[in-house]
Amino acid sequence: MSDAAPTGFRARLHGRLPGPLRRADPAVVIAFGCILLLLLLGSLYSRNFLSFDYLMQQLKVASFLGVIATGTMLVILLGQIDLSVPWVVSTGAMMASAAAAYGLLGEILSVPFGVLCGILIGLVNGFGVAYLRIPSMIVTLATNAVAQGLMVVYTGGFSPQDSASPAMRWLATGFLIPGLPNAVLVWIVVGAAAVFVLTRTTFGRAVYGIGNRERAVYLSGVDTRRIVLVAFAVAGACNAFAGVLLAGYASKAAQSMGDAYLLPAIAAVVLGGTHVLGGRGSYLGTVAGVILITLLQSILSVMQIDEAGRQLIYGTVIVVMLLLYGRQPA
């Protein structure tokens, strides 16, 4: 869903674009332009930066963030925020690994069980926001703390000892199609489903509508509370599924597995042009934002920037994009 008449910075940029690009969201164009710039800078630093193997590895790393960003985008389109990402990711990873320890049946059910745990947390978030009218920032922060406490109690404060199931490892590191990692294929499937839902279903139109003006959607006969509940449940599923993939990638879960994904997920969605107040954004922009953040992480890692510096950069990116795209048109 795009603006009928871009204003301010968007209008000036829109007028300077070539004809074929004027129909595209300027934020998406900027994000892809920044990707090309980072690739150029990386190639100047290392000749291997543009090699097929390196780029495919970066796509593989981006796929974990991409699955999380899918759920994050859905929530932001509603005009809400989900701060429970870190421990929903960790819960999905730890519960899937725990299930894998119970024989063959446990291995078979490990992936769906991990995702189910994320759905349950998402339902709690959605119920608090939609039916109890608690601000999403508060309820998701609370559920994040509760999930953390439950996982610490489960492990006794020690690192989880359970290993990922073969299915989890195959999803994260295997190759169903030669040359294309399964993790990337999973992201493609999740992304295609997200595009279909957002552009071809009444649910997707309701999500955009609620982000623009919830009262108008409610008066049109849509059960907005149910839409919000389902959206948070889907976000929880995406976060937990990403945790399952991460556990498969590392062969085991870790308590802090999701800590590094909250700000990058929000930054990726905002960088892609999704309005932080809801109602506007495209999944193509989110894809661009995820790839941009992943390449930025890679360059910062090569430059040996510590985690505090990375978080500072992510926060600055969000603030800058808010200044450029986050203000409502007059």
Side-chain angles (χ1 to χ4, degrees), residues 35-215:
I35 290 173
L36 294 177
L37 179 61
L38 286 180
L39 289 174
L40 175 61
L41 293 176
S43 66
L44 295 177
Y45 190 86
S46 172
R47 293 181 179 179
N48 295 327
F49 201 84
L50 293 180
S51 67
F52 176 81
D53 291 340
Y54 184 82
L55 292 178
M56 194 55 63
Q57 176 63 25
Q58 292 307 303
L59 273 180
K60 184 176 180 180
V61 173
S63 61
F64 306 127
L65 177 59
V67 173
I68 296 173
T70 301
T72 300
M73 177 188 176
L74 189 61
V75 171
I76 291 179
L77 283 174
L78 292 170
Q80 307 291 344
I81 192 71
D82 185 358
L83 299 182
S84 65
V85 168
W87 278 92
V88 177
V89 171
S90 298
T91 298
M94 293 168 67
M95 290 296 95
S97 299
Y102 290 90
L104 178 61
L105 180 62
E107 292 183 0
I108 295 173
L109 297 178
S110 58
V111 174
F113 181 68
V115 174
L116 177 62
C117 291
I119 292 175
L120 293 177
I121 297 176
L123 287 173
V124 173
N125 289 334
F127 183 81
V129 174
Y131 291 90
L132 302 182
R133 291 299 176 180
I134 303 174
S136 58
M137 181 180 294
I138 302 300
V139 69
T140 57
L141 192 61
T143 54
N144 186 70
V146 170
Q148 179 181 6
L150 290 174
M151 291 302 100
V152 171
V153 170
Y154 169 74
T155 60
F158 299 98
S159 298
Q161 300 301 311
D162 301 313
S163 299
S165 68
M168 294 165 62
R169 289 193 288 269
W170 181 78
L171 277 175
T173 63
F175 292 86
L176 179 63
I177 300 175
L180 182 66
N182 283 347
V184 178
L185 185 60
V186 167
W187 183 24
I188 292 173
V189 172
V190 171
V195 170
F196 176 80
V197 169
L198 289 174
T199 61
R200 302 296 181 183
T201 67
T202 54
F203 174 82
R205 290 191 289 272
V207 168
Y208 280 105
I210 291 172
N212 281 305
R213 185 162 297 180
E214 181 177 359
R215 183 171 179 81

Side-chain angles (χ1 to χ4, degrees), residues 200-288:
R200 302 296 181 183
T201 67
T202 54
F203 174 82
R205 290 191 289 272
V207 168
Y208 280 105
I210 291 172
N212 281 305
R213 185 162 297 180
E214 181 177 359
R215 183 171 179 81
V217 177
Y218 175 77
L219 292 176
S220 70
V222 176
D223 187 350
T224 56
R225 293 182 298 181
R226 181 175 59 85
I227 297 296
V228 172
L229 179 68
V230 172
F232 272 96
V234 172
C238 288
N239 295 334
F241 189 32
V244 171
L245 293 175
L246 285 168
Y249 184 71
S251 294
K252 63 180 300 182
Q255 290 186 358
S256 59
M257 185 163 275
D259 289 353
Y261 285 93
L262 176 59
L263 271 180
I266 297 174
V269 174
V270 174
L271 272 173
T274 298
H275 200 294
V276 291
L277 298 179
R280 185 174 69 235
S282 68
Y283 194 77
L284 179 61
T286 296
V287 171

Side-chain angles (χ1 to χ4, degrees), residues 2-49:
S2 59
D3 301 316
T7 58
F9 173 83
R10 294 168 65 87
R12 292 194 297 273
L13 180 60
H14 186 268
R16 295 174 183 174
L17 290 174
L21 295 179
R22 290 185 183 180
R23 292 183 295 273
D25 188 336
V28 178
V29 176
I30 290 176
F32 278 108
C34 290
I35 290 173
L36 294 177
L37 179 61
L38 286 180
L39 289 174
L40 175 61
L41 293 176
S43 66
L44 295 177
Y45 190 86
S46 172
R47 293 181 179 179
N48 295 327
F49 201 84

